[in-house]
Amino acid sequence: MYNMDKLFEAVAARGPVCVGLDTAADYVPPGERQRASSDAAAILAFNKAIIDATIDAAACFKVQIACYEELGLAGLETYARTLKYLREKKGLVIADIKRGDIADTALRYAKSHFEGDFEADFVTLSPYMGMYSIEPWFSYAQSRGKGAFVLMRTSNRGMRDFEYLELKTDPPAENAAGAGVPGGSVPPRRLYHAVGDKLAELAGTRRGVYGYGAFGAVLGCTEREEAAAIRGRYSGLFFLIPGYGAQGGAADDAALLLRKGNGGVVNASRSILKAWTAAPGAENEGAAADNPAGRDGVNNAFAAEAARGAALEMRDAIRKAVKNRDREEEP
Amino acid sequence: MYNMDKLFEAVAARGPVCVGLDTAADYVPPGERQRASSDAAAILAFNKAIIDATIDAAACFKVQIACYEELGLAGLETYARTLKYLREKKGLVIADIKRGDIADTALRYAKSHFEGDFEADFVTLSPYMGMYSIEPWFSYAQSRGKGAFVLMRTSNRGMRDFEYLELKTDPPAENAAGAGVPGGSVPPRRLYHAVGDKLAELAGTRRGVYGYGAFGAVLGCTEREEAAAIRGRYSGLFFLIPGYGAQGGAADDAALLLRKGNGGVVNASRSILKAWTAAPGAENEGAAADNPAGRDGVNNAFAAEAARGAALEMRDAIRKAVKNRDREEEP
């Protein structure tokens, strides 16, 4: 069984939320941060509290390694210990590392992130250097069930620079973008389609029990007008969907990239980790006895409870959007 | 003064060789590896010997982080200590990390690799997510003189998958690839040209004293037929040139990507680090008293001496190729 199958089951059981542990030190409640021996220690304790509070409200977690690397060796130790804690709790985890290098090096990276101190269930990868830079990782799909999400069309401002570039298509582009667009003119074929096509081909070689390939794609939920065509065209790719919340994507946008509420996980980081800053009581942190955070001010338990609330709210919003969409689609 | 200016001066003084410290544990002479307390420790000692022996024969060093990450936290400590040793020795170093992420995350990564435990003079970056993913790094060019090489056209087998894709060009492509190709038909405009054009634009905003931008590009030396056109078109970009030796590139190919022997550094890793395996004496390792490696077998000093020889030989081969080329170009 591939990890992608486990992820499908997790979404079916607990909804499509992916909790992004992109934990910057200033996401930790100030009192907790102050009491901790270091920022790295503060982040680890915060992560554990968030994991405990959200594990039954989310399909999986995503850990952005940059937030840990920023703190140097101590930060990477916190990264490793966060992954270890997730393994102990049987939480599925995506290591957001966006690696992409020549085959020899890719194999070393795969060993780094699919085994040992930094072992994760999934990674994110960058496709620029081509499929030979992806394949060494793919060998771990067979041997250990590991999965990956390869950058396809992201949700950031820069995506139009290259991902959107229009490719030359020689003869009438029958197989090009937007198969399934009825009647009209042939839509442009972009770089991200070329990446998606290669990924679909790769995914087809190791398809799991629910029809999705062992490797999927990163697909931002910020470009609503293309979402349905993409979901239709890449039916065998499981999506990691960033861009929700802070980056402008909404439940409706995310729902368009899902299929019957599955086939993807929707990541949110800040809106979950920092939910405590908007929770009742946080604004008077530590000031009064009726402060829900208690006399100690906003602590990790308070932040974790707020995170849980935000994750559940997000899950319900996406479920509702999926339902509305399914209703629209039935004629 | 930008680090790219320092690199130009280093090439002028010591030639264009970049020693790739892509040190796998099995590059270390077996006796040394056995005696070391761990593979991570063995690699650190080996690196120091190589650095000492090649620092005056090379322009700079490149450290491939995957080789260290593979050993987990202990490996990354060796990575940090290798960088520290290079700083102490005033060696210029490129951290080969190929990062590429959204702007917020890019800024965290930049902090990780331009400050603190992992501080380097240059990094390598991946452009897939667009220029907003590069710009946060670029802010360090101004504040600290830092440099970067962005993947443009690499030397690996997979490069044709995406880097070579032909882009749609609307009107007659006056500004497209191959400006300077006299008369003939317009050559195709590929993804790597789009990346190069954006990089040239960026580099133009912070040009150093020798005419090269603070940020340059990764340009493999394996596609001879395009090299001269690329060098001509991207005159403001300093190149990091991989692919020499083990990947099939030769001195002639590398020379085509240089301009009067400067404007780029040519990386070699295995052919330098493993030169000891082909050096006289290594085949009878430790067997006889006349073994140049001494009674202890091939040690780090022996390997370092072989590395120095290989670096000098490579430097001379490239210098000769540059001379031949300059002669050809004078009518």
Side-chain angles (χ1 to χ4, degrees):
Chain A
M1 195 179 201
Y2 298 119
N3 287 346
M4 209 61 92
D5 296 322
K6 294 184 194 166
L7 190 56
F8 182 96
E9 291 178 356
V11 172
R14 302 190 297 277
V17 172
C18 172
V19 174
L21 294 171
D22 306 6
T23 317
D26 61 4
Y27 289 11
V28 178
E32 296 275 7
R33 189 177 174 191
Q34 228 165 5
R35 279 188 294 276
S37 61
S38 67
D39 277 352
I43 290 173
L44 181 62
F46 180 80
N47 281 351
K48 287 183 175 177
I50 299 285
I51 292 165
D52 289 345
T54 58
I55 196 160
D56 69 345
C60 64
F61 295 84
K62 181 176 82 63
V63 189
Q64 169 54 262
I65 197 172
C67 295
Y68 303 86
E69 216 161 276
E70 187 183 1
L71 298 175
L73 289 165
L76 286 166
E77 197 184 328
T78 282
Y79 177 78
R81 291 176 70 183
T82 298
L83 292 175
K84 184 159 176 278
Y85 191 74
L86 281 164
R87 280 195 299 276
E88 286 164 12
K89 298 282 169 174
K90 311 251 180 263
L92 289 169
V93 62
I94 303 164
D96 195 356
I97 56 174
K98 298 189 177 66
R99 295 296 191 271
D101 213 311
I102 61 171
D104 288 1
T105 304
L107 197 57
R108 294 186 189 283
Y109 272 133
K111 203 180 147 203
S112 314
H113 296 280
F114 282 158
E115 301 182 36
D117 288 343
F118 306 129
E119 180 171 356
D121 302 302
F122 303 88
V123 294
T124 57
L125 301 176
S126 177
Y128 189 74
M129 294 178 76
M131 297 309 285
Y132 283 110
S133 66
I134 307 293
E135 283 163 12
W137 299 86
F138 201 59
S139 67
Y140 277 83
Q142 172 143 47
S143 62
R144 292 174 170 236
K146 299 294 186 186
F149 298 94
V150 182
L151 295 176
M152 184 175 148
R153 204 216 54 197
T154 56
S155 54
N156 63 315
R157 283 198 303 170
M159 66 170 181
R160 292 191 183 267
D161 285 341
F162 306 122
E163 298 174 22
Y164 260 68
L165 287 179
E166 200 171 333
L167 303 177
K168 188 177 167 192
T169 48
D170 294 321
E174 313 170 53
N175 289 319
V181 174
S185 64
V186 177
R189 177 169 166 81
R190 303 189 187 279
L191 174 59
Y192 79 77
H193 293 117
V195 171
D197 290 353
K198 288 276 190 197
L199 292 178
E201 201 180 299
L202 184 75
T205 67
R206 298 220 178 283
R207 208 174 286 291
V209 291
Y210 302 105
Y212 292 97
F215 274 27
V218 177
L219 229 297
C221 65
T222 51
E223 306 303 302
R224 147 175 298 261
E225 59 288 351
E226 297 164 341
I230 288 174
R231 180 66 283 178
R233 180 169 168 77
Y234 299 105
S235 59
L237 293 180
F238 204 97
F239 293 154
L240 166 59
I241 305 169
Y244 191 91
Q247 283 175 56
D252 291 346
D253 302 308
L256 292 171
L257 290 168
L258 300 176
R259 193 199 291 136
K260 296 185 194 300
N262 210 318
V265 287
V266 186
N267 182 74
S269 299
R270 266 169 290 178
S271 59
I272 293 176
L273 300 191
K274 294 186 78 175
W276 65 266
T277 60
E283 66 279 3
N284 297 315
E285 186 190 333
D290 64 348
N291 178 346
R295 289 180 180 277
D296 287 342
V298 174
N299 58 16
N300 281 345
F302 181 83
E305 205 39 48
R308 179 183 173 74
L312 288 172
E313 201 177 300
M314 175 177 164
R315 182 188 72 182
D316 294 342
I318 297 172
R319 281 188 173 162
K320 196 176 150 195
V322 165
K323 238 185 223 160
N324 286 340
R325 195 183 163 231
D326 287 354
R327 207 173 297 138
E328 276 169 31
E329 283 193 339
E330 285 162 21
Chain B
M1 195 178 202
Y2 296 118
N3 286 346
M4 209 60 93
D5 296 322
K6 295 184 193 168
L7 190 57
F8 182 96
E9 292 178 354
V11 172
R14 303 190 297 276
V17 172
C18 172
V19 175
L21 294 171
D22 306 5
T23 317
D26 60 5
Y27 289 10
V28 179
E32 295 274 8
R33 188 177 174 189
Q34 231 164 4
R35 279 190 293 277
S37 61
S38 67
D39 277 352
I43 290 173
L44 181 62
F46 180 81
N47 281 352
K48 287 182 175 177
I50 299 285
I51 291 165
D52 289 343
T54 58
I55 196 159
D56 69 345
C60 63
F61 296 84
K62 181 177 82 65
V63 189
Q64 169 53 260
I65 198 172
C67 295
Y68 303 84
E69 214 160 278
E70 188 183 1
L71 299 175
L73 289 165
L76 287 167
E77 196 183 329
T78 281
Y79 177 78
R81 290 176 68 181
T82 298
L83 292 175
K84 184 161 177 276
Y85 192 73
L86 281 164
R87 280 195 300 274
E88 285 164 14
K89 298 281 169 176
K90 312 251 180 261
L92 288 169
V93 62
I94 302 165
D96 196 357
I97 56 173
K98 297 189 176 68
R99 295 296 191 270
D101 213 312
I102 60 171
D104 287 0
T105 304
L107 195 58
R108 293 185 188 284
Y109 272 133
K111 201 180 149 204
S112 313
H113 296 280
F114 282 157
E115 302 182 38
D117 288 344
F118 306 130
E119 181 172 356
D121 301 303
F122 303 88
V123 293
T124 58
L125 301 176
S126 177
Y128 189 74
M129 294 176 77
M131 297 308 286
Y132 283 111
S133 67
I134 308 294
E135 283 163 11
W137 300 86
F138 200 58
S139 67
Y140 277 83
Q142 171 145 43
S143 62
R144 293 174 169 235
K146 299 293 185 186
F149 298 95
V150 182
L151 294 176
M152 183 177 148
R153 204 216 52 195
T154 58
S155 54
N156 64 315
R157 284 198 302 169
M159 66 169 181
R160 292 194 181 266
D161 285 343
F162 306 122
E163 298 172 24
Y164 261 67
L165 287 180
E166 200 173 331
L167 302 178
K168 188 178 169 192
T169 48
D170 293 321
E174 312 168 53
N175 290 319
V181 174
S185 66
V186 177
R189 177 171 166 80
R190 302 189 187 280
L191 173 59
Y192 79 77
H193 293 118
V195 171
D197 290 353
K198 288 277 191 196
L199 292 178
E201 201 181 302
L202 184 74
T205 66
R206 297 216 179 287
R207 209 175 286 291
V209 291
Y210 302 104
Y212 292 97
F215 274 28
V218 177
L219 229 297
C221 65
T222 52
E223 306 303 304
R224 146 175 299 261
E225 58 289 350
E226 297 164 343
I230 287 175
R231 180 66 284 179
R233 180 170 170 76
Y234 299 104
S235 59
L237 292 180
F238 204 97
F239 292 155
L240 167 60
I241 305 169
Y244 190 92
Q247 283 175 56
D252 292 346
D253 302 310
L256 291 171
L257 291 170
L258 300 176
R259 192 199 291 139
K260 298 184 192 302
N262 209 319
V265 288
V266 186
N267 182 73
S269 299
R270 265 168 292 179
S271 59
I272 293 176
L273 300 191
K274 295 187 78 177
W276 65 266
T277 60
E283 66 279 2
N284 298 314
E285 186 194 335
D290 63 348
N291 178 344
R295 290 178 180 276
D296 287 342
V298 174
N299 58 17
N300 281 346
F302 180 84
E305 205 39 47
R308 179 182 172 75
L312 288 171
E313 201 176 300
M314 176 177 164
R315 182 188 70 182
D316 294 343
I318 295 171
R319 280 187 174 161
K320 198 176 147 194
V322 166
K323 239 185 222 157
N324 287 340
R325 198 188 160 226
D326 287 352
R327 207 173 296 139
E328 275 170 32
E329 283 194 340
E330 285 161 20

